[in-house]
PDB file of all heavy atoms in Angstrom:
ATOM      1  N   GLY A 491      -6.903   9.888  -1.146  1.00  0.00           N
ATOM      2  CA  GLY A 491      -6.461   8.913  -0.149  1.00  0.00           C
ATOM      3  C   GLY A 491      -5.199   8.157  -0.502  1.00  0.00           C
ATOM      4  O   GLY A 491      -4.723   7.358   0.277  1.00  0.00           O
ATOM      5  N   ARG A 509       5.234   7.980 -10.771  1.00  0.00           N
ATOM      6  CA  ARG A 509       4.661   7.596  -9.460  1.00  0.00           C
ATOM      7  C   ARG A 509       3.149   7.771  -9.453  1.00  0.00           C
ATOM      8  O   ARG A 509       2.374   6.871  -9.037  1.00  0.00           O
ATOM      9  CB  ARG A 509       5.313   8.506  -8.415  1.00  0.00           C
ATOM     10  CG  ARG A 509       4.646   8.411  -7.053  1.00  0.00           C
ATOM     11  CD  ARG A 509       5.447   9.238  -6.002  1.00  0.00           C
ATOM     12  NE  ARG A 509       4.867   9.114  -4.692  1.00  0.00           N
ATOM     13  CZ  ARG A 509       3.994   9.962  -4.162  1.00  0.00           C
ATOM     14  NH1 ARG A 509       3.745  11.091  -4.847  1.00  0.00           N
ATOM     15  NH2 ARG A 509       3.562   9.791  -2.947  1.00  0.00           N
ATOM     16  N   TYR A 513       0.493   4.706  -8.865  1.00  0.00           N
ATOM     17  CA  TYR A 513      -0.510   4.675  -7.806  1.00  0.00           C
ATOM     18  C   TYR A 513      -1.890   4.698  -8.384  1.00  0.00           C
ATOM     19  O   TYR A 513      -2.791   3.888  -7.998  1.00  0.00           O
ATOM     20  CB  TYR A 513      -0.336   5.875  -6.874  1.00  0.00           C
ATOM     21  CG  TYR A 513       0.812   5.800  -5.879  1.00  0.00           C
ATOM     22  CD1 TYR A 513       1.823   4.847  -6.004  1.00  0.00           C
ATOM     23  CD2 TYR A 513       0.900   6.642  -4.778  1.00  0.00           C
ATOM     24  CE1 TYR A 513       2.868   4.748  -5.094  1.00  0.00           C
ATOM     25  CE2 TYR A 513       1.922   6.606  -3.842  1.00  0.00           C
ATOM     26  CZ  TYR A 513       2.922   5.608  -4.040  1.00  0.00           C
ATOM     27  OH  TYR A 513       3.902   5.544  -3.114  1.00  0.00           O
ATOM     28  N   THR A 550      -8.653  -2.770   3.830  1.00  0.00           N
ATOM     29  CA  THR A 550      -8.155  -1.418   3.793  1.00  0.00           C
ATOM     30  C   THR A 550      -7.699  -1.102   2.372  1.00  0.00           C
ATOM     31  O   THR A 550      -7.551  -1.976   1.521  1.00  0.00           O
ATOM     32  CB  THR A 550      -6.878  -1.266   4.700  1.00  0.00           C
ATOM     33  OG1 THR A 550      -5.809  -2.123   4.175  1.00  0.00           O
ATOM     34  CG2 THR A 550      -7.189  -1.670   6.135  1.00  0.00           C
ATOM     35  N   GLU A 630       6.252 -11.007  -2.590  1.00  0.00           N
ATOM     36  CA  GLU A 630       5.638  -9.924  -1.865  1.00  0.00           C
ATOM     37  C   GLU A 630       4.152  -9.968  -2.053  1.00  0.00           C
ATOM     38  O   GLU A 630       3.336  -9.603  -1.163  1.00  0.00           O
ATOM     39  CB  GLU A 630       6.215  -8.581  -2.288  1.00  0.00           C
ATOM     40  CG  GLU A 630       5.941  -7.428  -1.357  1.00  0.00           C
ATOM     41  CD  GLU A 630       4.938  -6.452  -1.926  1.00  0.00           C
ATOM     42  OE1 GLU A 630       5.135  -5.984  -3.055  1.00  0.00           O
ATOM     43  OE2 GLU A 630       3.942  -6.158  -1.263  1.00  0.00           O
TER      44      GLU A 630
ATOM     45  N   GLY B 477      -6.260  -6.093   8.321  1.00  0.00           N
ATOM     46  CA  GLY B 477      -6.449  -5.233   7.248  1.00  0.00           C
ATOM     47  C   GLY B 477      -5.271  -5.080   6.264  1.00  0.00           C
ATOM     48  O   GLY B 477      -5.400  -4.407   5.209  1.00  0.00           O
ATOM     49  N   ARG B 495       7.626 -11.572   3.721  1.00  0.00           N
ATOM     50  CA  ARG B 495       6.455 -10.742   3.367  1.00  0.00           C
ATOM     51  C   ARG B 495       5.731 -10.283   4.600  1.00  0.00           C
ATOM     52  O   ARG B 495       5.451  -9.099   4.722  1.00  0.00           O
ATOM     53  CB  ARG B 495       5.543 -11.507   2.381  1.00  0.00           C
ATOM     54  CG  ARG B 495       4.215 -10.896   2.149  1.00  0.00           C
ATOM     55  CD  ARG B 495       3.398 -11.709   1.146  1.00  0.00           C
ATOM     56  NE  ARG B 495       2.166 -11.068   0.845  1.00  0.00           N
ATOM     57  CZ  ARG B 495       0.974 -11.364   1.381  1.00  0.00           C
ATOM     58  NH1 ARG B 495       0.884 -12.349   2.280  1.00  0.00           N
ATOM     59  NH2 ARG B 495      -0.083 -10.711   1.080  1.00  0.00           N
ATOM     60  N   TYR B 499       5.358  -6.354   5.669  1.00  0.00           N
ATOM     61  CA  TYR B 499       4.031  -5.671   5.875  1.00  0.00           C
ATOM     62  C   TYR B 499       3.852  -5.217   7.335  1.00  0.00           C
ATOM     63  O   TYR B 499       3.561  -4.075   7.577  1.00  0.00           O
ATOM     64  CB  TYR B 499       2.922  -6.581   5.455  1.00  0.00           C
ATOM     65  CG  TYR B 499       2.655  -6.707   3.965  1.00  0.00           C
ATOM     66  CD1 TYR B 499       3.590  -6.361   3.053  1.00  0.00           C
ATOM     67  CD2 TYR B 499       1.507  -7.286   3.476  1.00  0.00           C
ATOM     68  CE1 TYR B 499       3.387  -6.484   1.664  1.00  0.00           C
ATOM     69  CE2 TYR B 499       1.200  -7.415   2.151  1.00  0.00           C
ATOM     70  CZ  TYR B 499       2.170  -7.019   1.221  1.00  0.00           C
ATOM     71  OH  TYR B 499       1.934  -7.175  -0.106  1.00  0.00           O
ATOM     72  N   THR B 536      -5.745   6.998   4.061  1.00  0.00           N
ATOM     73  CA  THR B 536      -6.021   5.560   3.994  1.00  0.00           C
ATOM     74  C   THR B 536      -4.850   4.705   4.491  1.00  0.00           C
ATOM     75  O   THR B 536      -3.705   5.239   4.639  1.00  0.00           O
ATOM     76  CB  THR B 536      -6.265   5.088   2.521  1.00  0.00           C
ATOM     77  OG1 THR B 536      -5.031   5.248   1.813  1.00  0.00           O
ATOM     78  CG2 THR B 536      -7.372   5.915   1.908  1.00  0.00           C
ATOM     79  N   GLU B 616       9.417   6.580  -5.998  1.00  0.00           N
ATOM     80  CA  GLU B 616       8.106   6.037  -5.701  1.00  0.00           C
ATOM     81  C   GLU B 616       7.612   6.680  -4.366  1.00  0.00           C
ATOM     82  O   GLU B 616       6.406   6.855  -4.140  1.00  0.00           O
ATOM     83  CB  GLU B 616       8.143   4.580  -5.569  1.00  0.00           C
ATOM     84  CG  GLU B 616       6.779   3.887  -5.604  1.00  0.00           C
ATOM     85  CD  GLU B 616       6.413   3.267  -4.270  1.00  0.00           C
ATOM     86  OE1 GLU B 616       7.186   2.494  -3.671  1.00  0.00           O
ATOM     87  OE2 GLU B 616       5.291   3.549  -3.806  1.00  0.00           O
TER      88      GLU B 616
END
Side-chain angles (χ1 to χ4, degrees):
Chain A
R509 171 176 182 260
Y513 283 14
T550 64
E630 195 252 307
Chain B
R495 170 175 182 259
Y499 282 16
T536 65
E616 195 251 308

